[in-house]
Amino acid sequence: MDAPVPLILAALLAAAALVAPTPRARAAGMVGALVLAPVILGWHIAGSDQLRPLRDHPALAVALAALGLVALAALAVLFDRRPTWLPIAAAAALPFRVPIASGGSTANLLLPLYLVVAAGALAYAVPRLAGRERAEGGRARAGVVEWALAAYLVLYAAQAWGSIDFGHALENVVFFYVPFALLFALVSRVAWTPRLARVCLGVLAVLALALVGVGFVEYATRHLFLNPKVIASNQLGSYFRVNSLFFDPNIYGRFLALVMVLLSAWMLWARRRVEVAGAVALLAVLWAGLVLTFSQSSFTALLLGLALLGALRWSVRWALGLSAAGLAVAIAIVMVAPGAVHLDLGSSRSADKATSGRYALVRGGVRLFESARVIGHGSGSFPREYRRAEHVSAERSTSASHTIPVTIAAEQGVVGLAAYLLLLGAALGRLFWRARRVPERAAVAVAFTALVAHTMMYAAFLEDPLTWTLLGVGTALALWPAPGRRAPAPGDAAAPAEPAPARA
């Protein structure tokens, strides 16, 4: 099904789940997207080797389908009766990816999270389509963020029309954009409470500790569980990188960095010494795990997050001053002793080596943008277009420029870049609005900003469920009143079940 019309229709249905004016219309969009996206994917990979065992053993396929439907129905009933369990289940499923061959390549899919999203969508949609009213949190009407997300989603699907790699664009829409749009719609309409926020943070902290433990085992045994490319690079490199149960060390590092930002926020606003001591102990273990990833982008995201937390908790002036001083020291080291960072200031090849290949990717991405400024080369086209334009082998191809704005500019031109900047500005504006007055808002806003910083040095922005989750949680928390202010009345928007105290 390499025709763009069904793909655009799936994107439109997911967009309706974000911006439709009534709960019933949003529910219809959810169900439509939930049904159509797997159909598109199934048609796309019907002839792949990955599905051969199911084609050869139809009874096994039927049994697996029946088991999946039973699990889906059970979760949907649970989420219908206890809506606050959905974000907890989503938090527990966020890190777990399963490698799946599709369309000649391997995608790392969040199958447990897909199950949670599908069950949550059914729990939301079925009662409303049946005419049974359900109380829900969230805004009464879609705001700029929802419209920006919907516009970018539909635009991406539409720009797959002329892409040299339509299959890659299709997989991005079906695997990531559509299910994560439903995740945002669900999470943003949960009536969040301080207790629910603490439980979700606890789940993430426990998962991070478990994943760090796996990373320690990998480092001690010098054996990785996933990703042959990282295994090969470890054999040739002077250091050993771990990726735990993630396919990519940088995505593993991103997850750890964001959990550390959230834990740091909890620590900074904690009132009891035992909470501070517990947070310090957790951060020390996670820091050791982060070091073993050797992920430069993750370290940068963490440092930016800590600087922003300091500004929100204490003083913007001091945070800027200390950050500027640290940046000046780093620049001085590069200028005085570039060899310390393996950099020759007069050599582009040296710059490319010092940035792990990012310099050449960005430079090639800019040239792609210059050759198709208005609408770009098409969604998902960067790997093939870069390989063709730069005359590099398939072994050196990449999934993105490792700088999200450059990837978007090359694939979608000025039109897509404008949609991305609108989304980014609206998201940061919503999350940081009066964030200093409510620590939970500050924590989510800073974690989202750290994630954005990571995408400036690595791939995956809207392809990462953390982006949609943080934005959804921040959207729900934006309705919380600052201490001393009146909570929203039922007619204004759904009020949280309890007021937000001044702690993270």
Side-chain angles (χ1 to χ4, degrees):
M1 187 179 291
D2 286 351
V5 174
L7 191 66
I8 296 173
L9 179 57
L12 286 170
L13 290 169
L18 297 174
V19 301
T22 66
R24 188 180 181 89
R26 289 192 294 269
M30 283 187 183
V31 172
L34 198 62
V35 171
L36 183 57
V39 171
I40 296 173
L41 176 62
W43 190 277
H44 179 63
I45 66 174
S48 67
D49 293 337
Q50 191 73 18
L51 294 183
R52 179 174 296 173
L54 298 181
R55 292 196 301 268
D56 295 341
H57 302 86
L60 175 62
V62 172
L64 289 176
L67 182 63
L69 290 175
V70 170
L72 180 64
L75 274 179
V77 172
L78 175 64
F79 295 155
D80 180 53
R81 295 179 178 178
R82 298 182 180 272
T84 56
W85 284 43
L86 182 135
I88 298 172
L94 277 174
F96 298 109
R97 292 163 169 80
V98 179
I100 298 292
S102 169
S105 61
T106 299
N108 299 290
L109 305 183
L110 295 108
L111 296 182
L113 183 61
Y114 296 158
L115 179 63
V116 171
V117 171
L122 289 178
Y124 179 92
V126 171
R128 289 162 178 81
L129 292 177
R132 300 194 301 270
E133 294 296 327
R134 288 286 193 276
E136 62 181 70
R139 296 167 175 267
R141 294 186 179 278
V144 177
V145 171
E146 288 79 10
W147 281 104
L149 284 170
Y152 188 87
L153 174 57
V154 174
L155 178 65
Y156 188 92
Q159 287 187 298
W161 195 296
S163 174
I164 194 176
D165 196 348
F166 177 83
H168 187 200
L170 181 147
E171 290 165 9
N172 281 342
V173 172
V174 173
F175 286 152
F176 307 124
Y177 293 178
V178 167
F180 298 163
L182 303 187
L183 176 63
F184 169 88
L186 294 169
V187 169
S188 64
R189 296 194 173 275
V190 171
W192 283 81
T193 65
R195 182 176 182 274
L196 177 58
R198 290 193 298 270
V199 170
C200 289
L201 177 58
V203 170
L204 292 175
V206 170
L207 285 174
L209 284 174
L211 292 167
V212 165
V214 174
F216 288 161
V217 171
E218 288 181 328
Y219 189 79
T221 60
R222 292 298 195 271
H223 174 75
L224 298 186
F225 297 106
L226 295 170
N227 200 336
K229 290 184 178 180
V230 179
I231 294 172
S233 66
N234 280 336
Q235 293 174 347
L236 300 175
S238 58
Y239 52 85
F240 189 88
R241 303 184 71 187
V242 305
N243 56 3
S244 189
L245 299 182
F246 287 76
F247 198 75
D248 191 323
N250 292 292
I251 298 299
Y252 170 45
R254 175 190 290 188
F255 177 78
L256 292 183
L258 295 183
V259 174
M260 291 176 73
V261 166
L262 295 172
L263 284 172
S264 298
W266 173 50
M267 179 185 67
L268 291 179
W269 274 276
R271 293 177 176 177
R272 295 186 297 174
R273 290 184 179 180
V274 65
E275 293 179 344
V276 174
V280 170
L282 286 172
L283 289 170
V285 176
L286 297 186
W287 170 257
L290 183 62
V291 168
L292 298 183
T293 68
F294 288 91
S295 173
Q296 302 167 2
S297 51
S298 300
F299 288 123
T300 303
L302 176 61
L303 291 174
L304 174 63
L306 296 178
L308 286 174
L309 285 176
L312 292 173
R313 183 65 177 89
W314 291 298
S315 168
V316 174
R317 182 180 301 176
W318 275 100
L320 288 175
L322 292 173
S323 300
L327 183 61
V329 170
I331 293 175
I333 292 174
V334 172
M335 298 298 295
V336 174
V341 291
H342 309 286
L343 179 63
D344 181 357
L345 298 177
S347 170
S348 61
R349 180 176 296 180
S350 175
D352 190 51
K353 182 178 179 181
T355 58
S356 303
R358 288 170 174 80
Y359 180 82
L361 288 170
V362 170
R363 185 178 57 185
V366 170
R367 283 198 286 262
L368 287 176
F369 168 66
E370 291 174 345
S371 65
R373 296 176 184 267
V374 179
I375 60 173
H377 293 273
S379 301
S381 64
F382 187 93
R384 291 191 181 181
E385 291 289 357
Y386 177 85
R387 187 165 64 244
R388 184 174 64 177
E390 300 297 317
H391 306 289
V392 297
S393 63
E395 287 75 16
R396 293 188 57 196
S397 64
T398 183
S399 62
S401 71
H402 284 262
T403 304
I404 284 297
V406 174
T407 301
I408 292 174
E411 292 186 352
Q412 298 175 261
V414 172
V415 176
L417 191 60
Y420 161 77
L421 293 175
L422 172 63
L423 170 59
L424 195 59
L428 292 174
R430 173 177 291 180
L431 296 181
F432 276 99
W433 176 250
R434 295 178 176 175
R436 298 185 71 175
R437 301 186 181 187
V438 181
E440 288 87 350
R441 293 188 204 167
V444 172
V446 171
F448 180 83
T449 307
L451 188 153
V452 171
H454 194 281
T455 66
M456 298 299 167
M457 295 164 283
Y458 199 68
F461 177 52
L462 293 180
E463 296 82 6
D464 191 330
L466 281 168
T467 304
W468 300 80
T469 303
L470 288 170
L471 192 51
V473 175
T475 294
L477 297 186
L479 297 176
W480 281 13
R485 291 179 176 268
R486 180 184 67 86
D492 300 332
E498 58 182 281
R503 58 183 295 180

